């Protein structure tokens, strides 16, 4: 993130537990953040430092995605709990609106390949947690 | 070659029945166990119970590249990931997808789904054509509604009746393909006169259809 001084234009799709933490942090550290979620209550998860925009709507409907000015985004983060939603948002951002950096949360490890096929960066909570646990158990076994 | 139908209930059933009667091997994937049971009772098709957007379910079907896949799920996000997995993993090219949000048609096309059908936009176009005029006898959208065929009868009161075609100020995005006059076919030329009672066959872009009708039929 070289352009830190001016701040990036970041769109966060999904304002659940993960999305809200990421959006709050990104906003507090000087980026322009737009969060979109189809549940109004989800925005309560955002911290008080969040100064970006909130858009109520389903990001898989292009009308709502356009409201985020997605074509201008530096980064799109697809962080909902539903892989199919994240896939649609990510491919649309990448292939349709030409967003350079797209990162998606992928919950089912079986889905990771199809995201990668479309040049979408994948973060897998499932794999991360599993890895951590395995590390702990292994470490415990050695001591 | 087989036909694989993913999702949908009523459409899946009727489509499968008609394809089976034509002699095709039909596979159905549906995530609702009850729907699967019911379809299994009524159809001689291979029924797979599971989420069609999961690779391990799709792997159960031994796809070959010349299969036809029909995706009928209720949500576009499910249909999109299914269509992309089927293309990438099994190299199936002939994919027909039902698209709920008409605005998504373009996205599906752009991502390599050649046939994306939106019932919403087909219905709304048909309703609009009903709202237009009663002289419209036929309305037929093709290529996901990018092109429209119209058949109109020219009424006595038409502002264009009695005029030569070249003097009628029709938009450029339309063409008169033929005229049926008392059961005779007239191939239209610039000097052809348009007469009341003529049945006119028009090909046009949907954006000018209202304008065309206004010129040929009147308000």
């Amino acid at each position: 993130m070289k352009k830190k001084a001016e701040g990036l234009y970041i769109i966060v799709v999904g304002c659940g537990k993960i999305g809200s933490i990421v959006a709050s942090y990104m906003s507090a550290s000087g980026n322009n953040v737009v969060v979109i979620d189809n549940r109004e209550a989800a925005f309560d998860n955002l911290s008080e430092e969040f100064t970006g925009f909130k858009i109520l709507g389903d990001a898989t409907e292009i009308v709502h995605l356009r409201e985020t000015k997605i074509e201008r985004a530096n980064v799109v983060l697809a962080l909902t709990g539903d892989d199919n939603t994240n896939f649609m948002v990510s491919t649309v951002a990448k292939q349709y609106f030409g967003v350079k950096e797209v990162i998606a949360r992928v919950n089912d490890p079986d889905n990771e390949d199809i995201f990668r096929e479309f040049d979408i960066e994948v973060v897998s909570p499932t794999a991360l947690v599993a890895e951590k646990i395995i590390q702990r158990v292994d470490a415990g076994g050695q001591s | 070659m087989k036909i694989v139908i993913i999702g949908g209930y009523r459409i899946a059933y009727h489509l499968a029945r008609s394809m089976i009667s034509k002699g095709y091997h039909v596979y159905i994937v549906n995530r609702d166990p009850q729907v699967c049971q019911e379809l299994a009772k009524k159809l001689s098709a291979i029924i797979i119970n599971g989420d069609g957007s999961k690779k391990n379910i799709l792997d159960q079907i031994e796809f070959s590249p010349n299969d036809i896949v029909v995706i009928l799920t209720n949500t576009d996000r499910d249909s999109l990931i299914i269509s992309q997995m089927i293309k990438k993993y099994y190299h199936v090219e002939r994919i027909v997808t039902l698209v709920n949000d008409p605005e998504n048609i373009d996205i599906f096309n752009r991502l390599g789904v050649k046939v994306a059908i939106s019932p919403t936009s087909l219905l709304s176009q048909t309703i609009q054509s009903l709202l237009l005029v009663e002289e419209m006898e036929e309305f037929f959208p093709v290529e996901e509604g990018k092109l429209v065929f119209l058949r109109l009868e020219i009424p006595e009161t038409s502002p264009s009746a009695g005029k030569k075609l070249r003097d009628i100020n029709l938009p450029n995005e339309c063409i008169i393909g033929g005229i049926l006059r008392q059961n005779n076919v007239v191939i239209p030329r610039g000097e052809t006169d348009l007469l009341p009672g003529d049945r006119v066959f028009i090909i046009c872009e949907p954006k000018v259809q209202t304008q065309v009708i206004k010129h040929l039929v009147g308000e």
Side-chain angles (χ1 to χ4, degrees):
Chain A
M1 297 207 188
K2 278 168 272 167
K3 286 168 69 186
K4 199 81 193 198
E6 310 146 42
L8 293 161
Y9 187 39
I10 302 174
I11 294 170
V12 178
V13 179
C15 194
K17 294 200 177 65
I18 297 179
S20 60
I21 293 172
V22 173
S24 301
Y25 176 85
M26 289 296 170
S27 175
S29 51
N31 301 290
N32 299 308
V33 181
V34 177
V35 203
I36 174 166
D37 200 297
N38 60 356
R39 303 155 300 159
E40 193 153 24
F43 298 125
D44 297 344
N45 292 325
L46 292 163
S47 76
E48 277 170 24
E49 294 101 82
F50 180 81
T51 54
F53 284 99
K54 304 163 204 168
I55 291 175
L56 182 65
D58 183 341
T60 63
E61 288 176 33
I62 303 308
V63 208
H64 293 137
L65 208 52
R66 281 216 171 91
E67 284 176 44
T68 67
K69 305 272 189 306
I70 186 168
E71 65 281 357
R72 282 198 242 144
N74 300 104
V75 186
V76 169
L77 307 173
L79 303 179
T80 78
D82 179 61
D83 284 3
N84 296 4
T85 302
N86 293 345
F87 180 78
M88 179 154 184
V89 169
S90 304
T91 43
V92 169
K94 191 111 202 179
Q95 316 277 328
Y96 198 78
F97 291 105
V99 178
K100 293 258 159 48
E101 195 169 357
V102 180
I103 303 172
R105 164 184 171 187
V106 181
N107 303 287
D108 182 347
D110 282 349
N111 281 335
E112 288 179 29
D113 285 345
I114 191 76
F115 279 74
R116 289 205 183 92
E117 287 272 6
F118 285 85
D119 207 19
I120 296 155
E121 231 179 287
V122 168
V123 175
S124 163
T126 322
L128 287 176
V129 171
E131 220 171 282
K132 274 275 177 233
I133 293 171
I134 292 166
Q135 273 176 8
R136 284 285 173 85
V137 174
D138 276 356
Q142 276 161 13
S143 65
Chain B
M1 189 202 94
K2 56 187 172 295
I3 294 173
V4 182
I5 303 170
I6 301 171
Y9 170 39
R10 266 170 233 288
I11 305 182
Y13 167 70
H14 291 287
L15 184 65
R17 204 181 54 175
S18 116
M19 288 299 152
I20 292 165
S21 74
K22 292 190 170 91
Y24 293 103
H25 292 289
V26 173
Y27 286 56
I28 295 178
V29 182
N30 198 301
R31 65 172 152 202
D32 185 331
Q34 261 181 315
V35 169
C36 286
Q37 256 174 11
E38 206 171 315
L39 293 177
K41 259 189 265 169
K42 293 182 188 165
L43 297 168
S44 59
I46 293 174
I47 317 260
I48 295 164
N49 178 216
D51 181 348
S53 68
K54 299 281 176 227
K55 189 171 182 294
N56 59 352
I57 297 294
L58 294 175
D59 279 341
Q60 294 177 24
I61 304 163
E62 285 176 3
F63 282 105
S64 75
N66 65 346
D67 289 342
I68 292 179
V69 177
V70 186
I71 307 171
L72 303 174
T73 72
N74 288 328
T75 27
D76 291 353
R77 65 195 113 188
D78 295 345
S79 301
L80 186 78
I81 194 167
I82 294 170
S83 67
Q84 300 308 308
M85 284 195 195
I86 284 170
K87 268 172 67 84
K88 289 277 181 193
Y89 294 146
Y90 317 105
H91 312 289
V92 176
E93 285 296 326
R94 293 189 288 181
I95 303 171
V96 184
T97 314
L98 212 63
V99 179
N100 297 284
D101 184 348
E103 296 216 40
N104 285 338
I105 291 182
D106 201 22
I107 289 167
F108 278 79
N109 289 155
R110 201 91 71 96
L111 289 166
V113 179
K114 282 174 211 137
V115 193
I117 301 167
S118 160
T120 323
S121 71
L122 289 181
L123 284 174
S124 83
Q125 280 170 2
T126 312
I127 291 166
Q128 244 177 332
S129 77
L130 286 175
L131 291 172
L132 284 170
V133 280
E134 10 176 303
E135 282 80 6
M136 173 127 53
E137 300 184 319
E138 207 159 27
F139 172 88
F140 178 53
V142 288
E143 288 295 309
E144 292 105 36
K146 284 183 200 131
L147 204 61
V148 166
F149 288 87
L150 305 173
R151 188 171 74 175
L152 300 169
E153 185 172 319
I154 304 297
E156 294 276 354
T157 53
S158 161
S160 302
K163 284 193 187 167
K164 290 193 188 312
L165 288 181
R166 77 159 80 88
D167 298 329
I168 302 170
N169 196 16
L170 286 171
N172 284 330
E173 295 83 358
C174 85
I175 188 164
I176 296 184
I179 297 174
L180 204 63
R181 180 173 296 162
Q182 287 151 3
N183 279 330
N184 295 315
V185 174
V186 178
I187 299 297
R189 309 273 173 220
E191 65 270 19
T192 310
D193 290 309
L194 201 64
L195 303 178
D198 281 355
R199 283 203 159 82
V200 184
F201 296 81
I202 299 146
I203 305 167
C204 73
E205 287 185 35
K207 62 176 181 192
V208 297
Q209 91 196 30
T210 325
Q211 218 181 324
V212 170
I213 293 166
K214 212 189 254 178
H215 278 295
L216 297 178
V217 177
E219 300 291 338

